[in-house]
C-alpha cells in the first residue's frame, strides 16, 4: 500500500493523528501537494483544531479551482457542526461567522472570475466558476440565468432550458430571463427546446416574432440538429450531390452573413427563385424558421431528398415548372401560397438571365412589405475573371445572353428616380440587395417608365 492509500485508510479508520503524521511525511518527501490540503483540513478538524482546519481549507480553496465547490460544501458542513455543538456564543461561533464571511467573499470572487471568463469567450471555464458560486448560493436567480446562457453557448440545450426554469422559479424577472434567452438564440440551439421554453416560461410577449438560428460551422459544413449542409463553390457545386442528411449549398458562409446584415428582422415569409440541389431551401428554413417559405424552379425535377424534407414540414412549398419571367404565374403562386400577405424576403438565384430576372423583379418587388429585401444573386457573371467567362463568354448557357449587370445598373438608377419605391440598393460582389420603400404600388412595375434619364434610353452592356 502506498503512502496516499495509507493516509486514506488511517483517516477512514479514525486514526487521525497517524493520518496527519503520514501526510506530513509525504509532504516532506514529495513537496507540497495541493490536492492534499483538503485532507489536512479535514484531519485538523477531526483533531479539534478548528482554526487550523479553517486556514487549511482556505488554502485548499485558493489552490484547487477544480475542487472549490466540494471544499466549500465540506467547510459549510464543518461550520454548521461547530455551531450546533456550541451551547454558547463564543470562539466557535466567531469561527463560523468568520468562515461564512470569507465564503461570501469567495462567492463574489467566483462570480467575478466567471463574468470575466464569459466576456473573454472562455465558456467552459466560466461555467466551472459560476456553478461553484451557484452551489454556494443556490437561490441566486441571476447566477442561474448566467449559467443557462453559458450552457446554451456550449450547446447543452436541455440543461440550459432547465436552468432558465430554475431562474424563473427563484424569482428572476421575466425580462431578465427573456433577455438572456434572446441573447443565446444566435448560437447553435435545439429549436424544439426553444419552442418548449416559450411555452414553459411566461415570457412569450418578450420573444420576437422571428429568429435567426445560426449553424455550427465545421470547415465546409454547416450543422443543424437534424440536417447539415455542405458549402460547395465552383466545380464542387456540380460534382457533389445532396443526400438525406446533407444538402449541397451553392453559397459561401460569407454570402449568408452578408444577407443577415441586410435583413431588418428575421423574415417570416420568403419566396426563393431557383432550387437546384435544395441547399438554400433547407438553410433558410433552418436559419429563419419562417411562417412560410416557397421555392420555385423552371425544372420539374428536384432531388428526392428535398421533396422528403419538405413533406415533413408544413411551412414549406415547392412550385416546379414555373418560368420566372411569367408574371401571371408568379402572381397566381403568390396568391395561392401567401394569401395576399406581404413578403419579407425574395431571393432570385434562378436563371441569372437579364430579361427573365428583370421580369421577376417587376412582378415581385411590389409584393414586398415595407423594408423587405429583394436579392439578386450572381449578378456579375459577365464580369467574372477567368477564360471561361472572358474568353468563352460563360459557355453555351451564357454566351448569347445580355449581362445581368444591366439590371443592377437599372435598379441603382431606380433608387435615385423613385426613392419612395426603392429605399436603398447595396451592391456586393456576390449579391445585390434592394430594400422596399413605403410607396404604395398596386400593379407590376414598369422599369422603363420609372427610371428617369432626361428622356434618354439607358445604355446597355453587351
Amino acid at each position: 500500500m502506498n503512502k496516499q492509500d495509507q493516509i486514506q485508510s488511517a483517516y477512514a479508520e479514525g486514526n487521525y493523528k497517524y493520518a496527519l503524521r503520514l501526510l506530513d511525511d509525504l509532504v516532506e518527501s514529495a513537496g507540497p501537494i495541493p490536492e492534499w490540503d483538503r485532507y489536512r483540513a479535514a484531519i485538523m478538524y477531526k483533531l479539534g483544531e478548528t482554526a487550523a482546519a479553517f486556514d487549511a481549507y482556505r488554502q485548499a480553496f485558493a489552490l484547487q479551482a477544480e475542487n472549490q465547490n466540494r471544499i466549500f460544501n465540506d467547510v459549510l458542513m464543518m461550520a454548521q457542526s461547530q455551531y450546533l455543538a456550541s451551547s454558547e456564543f463564543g470562539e466557535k461561533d466567531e469561527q463560523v461567522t468568520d468562515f461564512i464571511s470569507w465564503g461570501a467573499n469567495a462567492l463574489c470572487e467566483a462570480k467575478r472570475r466567471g463574468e470575466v471568463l464569459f466576456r473573454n469567450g472562455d465558456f467552459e471555464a466560466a461555467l466551472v466558476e459560476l456553478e461553484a458560486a451557484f452551489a454556494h448560493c443556490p437561490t441566486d436567480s441571476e447566477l442561474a440565468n448566467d449559467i443557462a446562457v453559458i450552457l446554451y453557448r456550449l450547446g447543452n440545450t436541455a440543461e440550459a432550458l432547465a436552468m432558465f426554469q430554475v431562474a424563473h422559479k427563484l424569482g428572476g424577472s421575466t425580462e431578465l430571463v427573456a433577455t438572456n434567452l434572446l441573447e443565446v438564440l444566435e448560437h447553435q440551439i435545439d429549436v424544439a427546446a426553444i419552442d418548449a421554453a416559450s411555452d414553459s416560461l411566461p415570457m412569450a410577449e418578450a420573444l420576437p416574432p422571428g429568429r435567426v438560428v445560426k449553424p455550427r460551422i465545421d470547415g465546409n459544413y454547416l450543422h443543424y440538429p437534424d440536417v447539415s449542409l455542405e458549402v460547395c463553390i465552383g466545380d464542387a457545386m456540380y460534382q457533389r450531390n445532396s443526400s438525406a442528411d446533407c444538402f449541397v449549398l451553392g453559397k459561401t458562409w460569407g454570402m449568408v452573413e452578408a444577407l443577415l446584415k441586410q435583413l431588418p428582422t428575421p423574415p417570416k415569409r420568403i419566396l426563393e427563385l431557383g432550387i437546384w440541389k435544395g441547399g438554400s431551401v433547407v438553410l433558410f428554413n433552418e436559419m429563419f424558421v419562417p411562417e412560410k417559405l416557397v421555392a420555385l424552379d423552371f425544372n420539374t425535377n428536384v432531388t428526392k431528398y428535398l421533396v422528403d424534407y419538405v413533406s415533413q414540414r408544413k411551412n414549406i412549398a415547392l412550385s416546379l415548372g414555373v418560368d420566372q419571367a411569367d408574371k401571371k404565374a408568379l402572381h397566381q403562386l403568390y396568391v395561392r401560397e401567401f394569401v395576399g400577405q406581404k413578403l419579407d424576403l425574395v431571393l432570385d438565384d434562378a436563371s441569372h438571365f437579364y430579361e427573365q430576372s428583370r421580369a421577376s423583379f417587376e412582378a415581385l418587388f411590389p409584393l414586398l412589405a415595407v423594408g423587405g429585401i429583394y436579392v439578386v444573386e450572381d449578378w456579375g457573371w459577365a464580369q467574372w475573371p477567368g477564360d471561361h467567362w472572358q474568353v468563352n463568354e460563360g459557355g453555351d448557357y451564357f454566351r448569347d445572353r445580355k449581362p445581368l449587370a444591366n439590371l443592377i445598373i437599372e435598379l441603382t438608377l431606380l433608387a435615385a428616380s423613385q426613392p419612395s419605391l426603392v429605399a436603398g440598393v447595396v451592391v456586393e460582389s456576390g449579391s445585390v440587395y434592394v430594400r422596399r420603400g413605403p410607396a404604395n404600388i398596386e400593379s407590376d412595375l414598369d422599369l422603363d417608365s420609372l427610371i428617369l434619364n432626361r428622356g434618354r434610353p439607358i445604355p446597355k452592356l453587351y
Side-chain angles (χ1 to χ4, degrees):
M1 181 182 296
N2 62 35
K3 187 149 294 185
Q4 294 183 4
D5 291 337
Q6 292 176 1
I7 295 170
Q8 293 174 335
S9 178
Y11 183 87
E13 294 171 358
N15 196 346
Y16 304 121
K17 289 184 178 180
Y18 180 56
L20 182 60
R21 187 164 68 249
L22 290 172
L23 182 59
D24 288 337
D25 291 344
L26 181 61
V27 172
E28 184 177 350
S29 62
I33 302 175
E35 58 264 29
W36 287 98
D37 287 331
R38 180 166 167 260
Y39 265 86
R40 178 180 296 280
I43 293 170
M44 299 301 291
Y45 172 65
K46 292 294 186 180
L47 291 174
E49 299 182 27
T50 308
F54 279 139
D55 289 339
Y57 270 123
R58 287 191 183 94
Q59 183 175 352
F61 190 93
L63 296 177
Q64 301 179 51
E66 70 279 7
N67 288 325
Q68 286 181 344
N69 184 18
R70 181 182 298 177
I71 292 168
F72 198 94
N73 289 336
D74 285 353
V75 183
L76 282 180
M77 292 178 63
M78 185 182 79
Q80 185 181 35
S81 298
Q82 271 302 100
Y83 179 79
L84 295 176
S86 175
S87 58
E88 298 178 357
F89 293 103
E91 181 182 352
K92 294 179 181 178
D93 187 65
E94 291 176 0
Q95 290 171 346
V96 174
T97 303
D98 175 65
F99 176 77
I100 292 175
S101 175
W102 168 78
N105 292 332
L107 170 62
C108 292
E109 184 65 16
K111 290 179 67 175
R112 186 192 66 79
R113 287 196 301 269
E115 290 168 357
V116 171
L117 290 166
F118 180 83
R119 287 197 299 271
N120 291 337
D122 192 346
F123 301 132
E124 291 184 354
L127 183 62
V128 171
E129 294 287 355
L130 295 183
E131 283 186 333
F134 189 65
H136 305 162
C137 189
T139 59
D140 190 326
S141 63
E142 290 187 9
L143 265 177
N145 269 286
D146 292 342
I147 291 170
V149 170
I150 295 174
L151 288 169
Y152 256 120
R153 299 269 175 133
L154 293 174
N156 301 329
T157 309
E159 295 178 33
L161 173 56
M163 189 55 73
F164 274 125
Q165 293 170 326
V166 168
H168 188 74
K169 290 178 181 178
L170 289 175
S173 70
T174 294
E175 179 180 359
L176 179 61
V177 175
T179 298
N180 281 307
L181 181 56
L182 293 179
E183 179 183 350
V184 302
L185 290 178
E186 294 185 355
H187 297 77
Q188 183 192 0
I189 58 171
D190 182 332
V191 176
I194 288 295
D195 292 337
S198 302
D199 295 336
S200 62
L201 297 175
M203 51 184 288
E205 71 283 354
L207 293 171
R211 53 180 178 267
V212 174
V213 183
K214 291 185 178 180
R216 177 172 62 85
I217 302 176
D218 181 13
N220 290 333
Y221 290 89
L222 312 178
H223 298 291
Y224 282 97
D226 299 322
V227 68
S228 298
L229 300 109
E230 181 181 6
V231 174
C232 296
I233 301 299
D235 291 341
M237 289 190 295
Y238 304 94
Q239 297 167 354
R240 305 289 290 170
N241 291 310
S242 296
S243 63
D245 55 2
C246 187
F247 287 81
V248 170
L249 178 66
K251 294 176 175 60
T252 66
W253 181 246
M255 292 175 65
V256 176
E257 288 190 316
L259 171 63
L260 293 177
K261 291 180 181 178
Q262 300 302 323
L263 295 172
T265 59
K268 294 188 292 183
R269 289 175 288 277
I270 302 172
L271 175 59
E272 182 176 20
L273 286 65
I275 295 175
W276 202 36
K277 297 187 178 182
S280 57
V281 174
V282 174
L283 175 66
F284 295 138
N285 185 63
E286 297 291 330
M287 176 175 289
F288 297 128
V289 197
E291 291 180 5
K292 188 71 175 183
L293 191 164
V294 178
L296 65 85
D297 202 289
F298 182 74
N299 294 317
T300 56
N301 294 317
V302 296
T303 172
K304 63 178 181 178
Y305 302 111
L306 181 64
V307 174
D308 292 341
Y309 177 89
V310 171
S311 67
Q312 301 171 36
R313 292 159 174 83
K314 296 180 179 179
N315 66 317
I316 310 177
L318 303 180
S319 187
L320 306 179
V322 178
D323 184 349
Q324 71 169 126
D326 187 340
K327 295 182 180 180
K328 181 178 179 180
L330 294 179
H331 280 290
Q332 289 175 340
L333 180 148
Y334 168 73
V335 172
R336 181 177 69 250
E337 298 293 349
F338 295 100
V339 200
Q341 292 183 298
K342 292 295 186 180
L343 305 174
D344 300 305
L345 177 64
V346 177
L347 300 108
D348 183 353
D349 190 16
S351 68
H352 305 299
F353 296 157
Y354 166 64
E355 290 86 354
Q356 285 83 345
S357 299
R358 192 179 198 260
S360 298
F361 183 87
E362 289 181 325
L364 297 175
F365 189 76
L367 305 179
L368 281 168
V370 175
I373 298 294
Y374 194 105
V375 183
V376 180
E377 296 192 347
D378 298 331
W379 63 272
W381 54 262
Q383 286 72 45
W384 288 345
D387 288 348
H388 176 72
W389 300 103
Q390 300 307 314
V391 178
N392 297 328
E393 299 183 8
D396 293 340
Y397 184 77
F398 285 109
R399 184 172 291 114
D400 297 325
R401 300 290 180 175
K402 294 179 183 178
L404 185 55
N406 283 306
L407 177 60
I408 307 312
I409 294 171
E410 291 176 337
L411 298 182
T412 304
L413 299 177
L414 180 64
S417 300
Q418 308 293 337
S420 64
L421 174 62
V422 176
V425 177
V426 175
V427 180
E428 298 200 0
S429 59
S431 303
V432 170
Y433 308 92
V434 187
R435 188 179 304 279
R436 176 77 156 84
N440 184 26
I441 299 179
E442 300 296 339
S443 60
D444 293 347
L445 301 181
D446 179 1
L447 293 183
D448 290 331
S449 64
L450 290 171
I451 297 173
L452 306 178
N453 190 40
R454 298 183 296 178
R456 300 183 178 94
I458 307 300
K460 292 289 190 293
L461 298 175
Y462 291 96

